[in-house]
Every structure is written in structure tokens, then in C-alpha cells.
Amino acid sequence: MLHKQFDYLVIGSGLAGLYSAYYASRFGKVAILTKSKIDVSNSYYAQGGIAAVTDPEDFPQYHLEDTLTAGRGLCDLIPVEILVNEGPDRIQDIIDLGMQFDKENGKLALGLEGGHHRRRILHAGGDSTGKEMTLFLIKQVVNNPNIEIFENHMVFELLVENKICAGAKSYNITNNTNLLIEAKNTILASGGASAVYQRTTNPHTTVGDGINLAYKAGATVADMEFIQFHPSSFYSKEGYTFLISEAVRGEGAHLINSKGERFMSAIHPLAELAPRDIVARSIFNQMKQSQSNHVILSLKHLDGEKIKNRFPSINKNCESSGVDMTQEIPIAPAAHYMVGGIKTGIHAETNISRLYACGEIASSGVMGANRLASNSLLECLVFGKRAVDHARETTLLTDPFPLNQTELHINTDLEQSFLNHCNEIANEMNLKAGIVRNHTELKEVISLLELIENNFPFEAYEYYSVRLQNLITVCHLLTTAALARQESRGGHYREDFPKEKSRFLTHSIQQINKEIYFVPVDHRSQD
């Protein structure tokens, strides 16, 4: 087993991982471990933009109010204050590095998205903001002498002793090699878990591995029941999909049901720009009522040339699918963003010393029950920097403790069974733990997970065994939390408990070998 030492270990190569690695490289040697290629991440596929106050007529307080409204009472106030107040500085930092956002008449072009009452969404390359920001930061890290990148490395164990993290072990499936990295500080930035669902906008790698790693090591996990389903994901009979950015509705597109009726105006004052959970559930209900598998996003009434110029990537994908974006696009909701995750403090710290989490994998208290559109990329920058600033106080490796040298191996005979179970779980999650849930169906998902766990021929330190156990654990965390929250709020909707309940103004908390419990939301301000 190859053994290396670094000052900082960053697990994941989305925006949170790349930015924290770049910033950390100013203060020491950095390793980036990524499960696939460095440009495969949720951040890369983020279209809409990044939300921050840059307009003199906009104010952080307005951004805060929109975030709290979308979060449906479950946002912790201090991290939201940090996000909206430090966000503009992080935007300026990345602009000073050379990042180019789209401009109009020499000024930053600002878009409008669901839940925002002001135009504050910066975008790049029209509808390729995540891609442009990710590629920009990749350029900053690939030739950086203080950063070493390890692609195709699946981290399968955190090195944790006495609640102190000392690094991680990974396996490279391309050459069947194992790597042990000791690090003064470890930052988990491996993204969410929406690819546990059959219909998702995420890369197939986004199945919550980092959640399981931290949970298994004793980290606290919060609010796993809240999965955000993006309202407008392209629908095809063949099953493939791609994201139709919320910014398309921000430019004035209408949602039309099978009867040719625009339906959102009667449901919410913001109509198509209502918070995502409301729009996604409304589309789901329209589909259910008409027994249809999609609705229509109509752009007939808009300037076609302007739309094609504003959304070149979406237009290209639509054209490739035989659809004219300037007319009508068939869409349906898809699992998009994990709102909960590893519980962190205001410096992205976890309850395990020297282990941090930032980006989608973290439950920082910012998102509440429903993420406000385009806050995700901003959270990556704000809390990625905070993690490194806090970690800089650590100057020494941990006191030596016996490092488990057991290596991962692969048994190809397990591959087909593993793939079959992955598909079975994804289908069950989509049908029974998705946009609309109930007690009976959630229990059926849990029963399936337990059945698979009891019957799969797991092998210790075996590649497919580890991956399946990760998947089972993450889905079990999600469904158990959804079962315990007997109300509907934000991205969690129970048809057997359709109303919000004041007693659930709380965060669900899960920790290994403990029963799920709830803690109050922190509404205290920094002031």
C-alpha cells in the first residue's frame, strides 16, 4: 500500500473541493482524491448560477430573507448570515483570480430564479456556470506545485481514532492499487446522494459515499429526509435526462399541463418561480391527475433568439433530442440536491476533530428544509474558505496510532449482483421515498434494504461489497429520517401528514449505534 503525507487532504473535486484545495495550497501541501475524473461532479453540471449580492440596490438582508423563506423554518440563522454577508467577498475573490462571469453593458449580468425577489444570480457561459467555475478552478489546481491530484480513487475508510481524523484510505479501480494518506486535516467535499434515485440530474457517482464514510467513523448526520427534486428535468421516453435550469423559468417560461393550461399561477404568488419543492410537487400532482409522465415548459411567447443565446448548452441538448427549446420542452421532476448531510459548525467542522465537510455533503444549517436556488455554489466558496482558515490552526500530524493497513480488493463475480441491487434500490427509492411519501411505502423501502443486506454475499474489504453497503446505509439514513418526520415541510412531503407541525421545527440527527433524535433549530443571530 502506497503511503503519503500531506497538510490537507481534500476528498472530492466539485466546487467546494477545488476551491478549498486551491485556498489551502497557500498554507501547505494538498492532496485531492476524486472518485472519477476531476471534472465529474454536481458542480460541473450546475447551470443556473451563483447567488450573491452584487447589485448596489440589493442587500444581504434581502438575500437572507429569501433564504429563510425557502428553508421553511429550519435554517439556522448564524450560518445564513455568514453566507449572505461573506458571499459577495468570495465572489470578488474569484473574480480577482480571473473568473469571468457574464456581463451586460459592462456590468455583471444578474438573473432571477425561484424564491429570489431580486435579480442576484451571476452566471457564466449563459447556462454553464458550474462548468465554467469548475474548469476555471481546475486550471488553478492542476499546475499548482503544492497540490497533488489522485483521480479514480474511491475513498473507503477514514483514519479515525479517539474522534480524531488522521487521513483516509482509497482504492484505484483502474490499476487495483491502494493508497493511504495521512493528513493534518481532512476536508470531505464529495457531494450529495441524489443518484440513489432512478431519476436524477446527478452524475451516477453521486451516491453519498462521503456521508457513509463520516457516519461510519462516528460523525453526526442531520436532515437526511430533505432531498430537493428539481422541477424541470428533461423528459424522454428512453429515460435519459438533463437539467433544464430554473433560470429558464426566470426568463419567463410557463408550465403547462396536459390540458394546455398554465397551472402554477393558481398555486403560488410567484407562479413558476415559487420555491422548488412547491413547483416540483405541483408538477407531480398534475402528472398524477392526468396519468401523464411529464408536463410542458412553454417558451413560445418568448424571444427565441434571446433564449438560444442565454441558454446555449440547454439548447444544444434539446436539439440533440429532437426538441425545439424555443417552443415546448417536455419536463418532469428529478432528484437533484441533498439538503441534509454531515452536520457542521460555522467553520465547516464536524464532531470529529480535524475532519471538515463543505458543499453539498454538509448540513451547515444554511439550507433548512429546502435550498434556495443557486445558494449551493456560494456555500461551497464561503464554507470551503472557512474550513481551511479553521484548519490552519493545526500545525502537526496527530500522535501516531496504529494504522490499519488492510487493502481493498475486487471480486468481479459480485459485479452483476451488485448492479442488479443498485437498480432495484434506485427504482424503489424513486417510487416510494421520492417527492411524495407515506409510512407504508417508506417501511417497504427499509424492508427491501434489509433483505438485500441480509442476502448479499458481502466480503470484507471487497470493492462491490463496500459500494453496496455504502448505498444501503445512505438510503437507510434517508428513509429512516423521512419516516421519523411525521409532517410535510420543504423537500419532505408526507401524504399521511400533509401539514407542517410546530413540534418539528427541529433538525433530525443520526449517529451510528444511536436512535434518531431531533434538536431545535438555532434562530439566534450573530449580533
Side-chain angles (χ1 to χ4, degrees):
M1 178 181 286
L2 186 62
H3 188 166
K4 294 201 168 203
Q5 291 185 342
F6 290 86
D7 297 300
Y8 302 89
L9 168 59
V10 177
I11 300 170
S13 62
L15 189 63
L18 293 170
Y19 186 74
S20 57
Y22 169 76
Y23 183 59
S25 71
R26 301 181 187 181
F27 314 109
K29 295 292 185 180
V30 182
I32 298 177
L33 288 177
T34 184
K35 188 177 174 183
S36 185
K37 295 295 183 183
I38 196 166
D39 60 355
V40 176
S41 67
N42 275 354
S43 300
Y44 186 88
Y45 295 101
Q47 296 173 341
I50 182 168
V53 172
T54 58
D55 185 338
E57 296 184 7
D58 193 8
F59 297 94
Q61 181 63 28
Y62 297 161
H63 189 183
L64 180 141
E65 290 167 1
D66 287 343
T67 300
L68 297 181
T69 298
R72 307 296 270 278
L74 293 197
C75 298
D76 292 322
L77 186 54
I78 291 176
V80 179
E81 290 175 335
I82 289 168
L83 182 84
V84 301
N85 287 308
E86 296 184 8
D89 292 336
R90 300 293 77 77
I91 292 294
Q92 191 58 52
D93 287 347
I94 201 167
I95 289 174
D96 290 344
L97 276 176
M99 176 65 202
Q100 297 291 316
F101 290 103
D102 295 341
K103 292 184 176 181
E104 288 179 2
N105 302 319
K107 295 182 179 180
L108 289 170
L110 300 177
L112 181 68
E113 293 185 10
H116 292 270
H117 287 79
R118 298 289 180 109
R119 283 187 173 267
R120 65 172 67 97
I121 315 302
L122 291 83
H123 46 84
D127 56 355
S128 304
T129 309
K131 177 180 178 181
E132 294 298 326
M133 291 185 73
T134 301
L135 290 177
F136 172 76
L137 281 167
I138 286 173
K139 289 177 184 176
Q140 311 306 310
V141 304
V142 291
N143 296 315
N144 189 315
N146 272 357
I147 299 175
E148 190 168 351
I149 300 166
F150 300 87
E151 293 184 317
N152 302 307
H153 273 261
M154 183 187 83
V155 177
F156 63 90
E157 188 177 333
L158 294 176
L159 305 175
V160 175
E161 183 92 357
N162 298 322
K163 284 199 154 186
I164 301 172
C165 184
K169 292 195 296 184
S170 66
Y171 174 73
N172 185 339
I173 192 173
T174 61
N175 59 15
N176 296 327
T177 59
N178 284 261
L179 171 67
L180 186 153
I181 290 182
E182 280 188 273
K184 296 174 185 176
N185 293 285
T186 300
I187 300 173
L188 278 169
S190 54
S194 290
V196 303
Y197 289 90
Q198 183 183 55
R199 184 169 167 76
T200 179
T201 63
N202 288 197
H204 71 277
T205 54
T206 315
V207 290
D209 289 347
I211 295 285
N212 180 68
L213 282 171
Y215 176 77
K216 199 166 59 174
T220 301
V221 175
D223 295 340
M224 286 295 289
E225 63 270 37
F226 296 107
I227 296 290
Q228 188 174 79
F229 289 81
H230 199 288
S232 51
S233 179
F234 185 84
Y235 170 78
S236 65
K237 291 180 181 178
E238 296 78 17
Y240 72 89
T241 187
F242 53 88
L243 191 62
I244 306 295
S245 170
E246 192 147 28
V248 176
R249 281 175 282 129
E251 294 300 325
H254 293 164
L255 286 166
I256 307 295
N257 63 19
S258 61
K259 298 176 183 177
E261 303 166 335
R262 185 181 174 197
F263 55 88
M264 282 306 303
S265 301
I267 294 172
H268 194 277
L270 291 174
E272 280 83 4
L273 294 179
R276 285 181 176 175
D277 61 309
I278 295 173
V279 181
R281 194 161 57 251
S282 299
I283 293 172
F284 178 86
N285 289 335
Q286 291 291 327
M287 290 163 52
K288 189 174 181 180
Q289 289 168 18
S290 63
Q291 295 186 319
S292 172
N293 42 29
H294 68 280
V295 297
I296 294 296
L297 189 65
S298 176
L299 294 88
K300 289 179 178 179
H301 56 291
L302 302 176
D303 182 331
E305 286 305 309
K306 181 181 177 182
I307 290 297
K308 287 192 283 188
N309 290 333
R310 172 70 176 84
F311 304 105
S313 298
I314 298 174
N315 183 57
K316 183 179 179 181
N317 285 335
C318 284
E319 283 183 347
S320 299
S321 303
V323 169
D324 184 350
M325 181 186 180
T326 66
Q327 296 300 303
E328 294 183 339
I329 308 173
I331 57 116
H336 180 60
Y337 187 89
M338 183 182 72
V339 177
I342 302 165
K343 185 168 176 55
T344 58
I346 60 172
H347 303 290
E349 75 277 19
T350 71
N351 62 311
I352 296 175
S353 180
R354 305 190 183 194
L355 178 66
Y356 298 82
C358 55
E360 188 175 349
I361 195 173
S363 180
S364 65
V366 163
M367 302 306 180
N370 186 40
R371 175 176 68 88
L372 180 66
S374 290
N375 267 357
S376 52
L377 295 181
L378 189 68
E379 185 190 32
C380 293
L381 301 184
V382 169
F383 289 94
K385 181 178 186 297
R386 281 185 152 253
V388 174
D389 283 336
H390 191 269
R392 285 167 58 191
E393 299 173 10
T394 303
T395 57
L396 298 172
L397 287 167
T398 60
D399 292 333
F401 61 82
L403 297 175
N404 181 353
Q405 298 286 335
T406 309
E407 297 190 350
L408 204 68
H409 66 280
I410 189 166
N411 179 355
T412 54
D413 291 342
L414 297 178
E415 180 179 12
Q416 193 56 54
S417 179
F418 162 75
L419 292 173
N420 291 342
H421 285 315
C422 286
N423 291 330
E424 187 180 11
I425 290 170
N427 184 60
E428 193 82 346
M429 291 293 291
N430 220 70
L431 292 173
K432 298 176 180 178
I435 297 172
V436 176
R437 304 158 173 178
N438 62 56
H439 178 274
T440 301
E441 291 185 340
L442 288 169
K443 291 290 283 186
E444 288 172 357
V445 176
I446 292 172
S447 295
L448 174 67
L449 296 173
E450 291 173 349
L451 181 67
I452 293 171
E453 190 167 32
N454 291 333
N455 288 282
F456 188 83
F458 289 101
E459 295 179 13
Y461 287 94
E462 191 280 319
Y463 176 75
Y464 293 112
S465 298
V466 168
R467 287 186 62 186
L468 185 59
Q469 189 61 66
N470 287 351
L471 181 62
I472 290 170
T473 299
V474 170
C475 291
H476 198 272
L477 287 169
L478 196 160
T479 49
T480 301
L483 196 62
R485 184 173 289 276
Q486 297 180 348
E487 66 156 359
S488 292
R489 187 185 297 271
H492 167 72
Y493 186 82
R494 288 280 298 265
E495 60 184 356
D496 45 351
F497 297 101
K499 303 290 185 183
E500 290 184 0
K501 295 180 181 178
S502 57
R503 71 183 179 92
F504 281 109
L505 279 168
T506 54
H507 298 295
S508 66
I509 303 294
Q510 292 167 287
Q511 203 169 4
I512 195 165
N513 299 325
K514 291 184 180 180
E515 291 293 317
I516 188 170
Y517 62 97
F518 290 87
V519 299
V521 174
D522 191 349
H523 290 141
R524 294 174 299 172
S525 172
Q526 294 182 93
D527 301 329

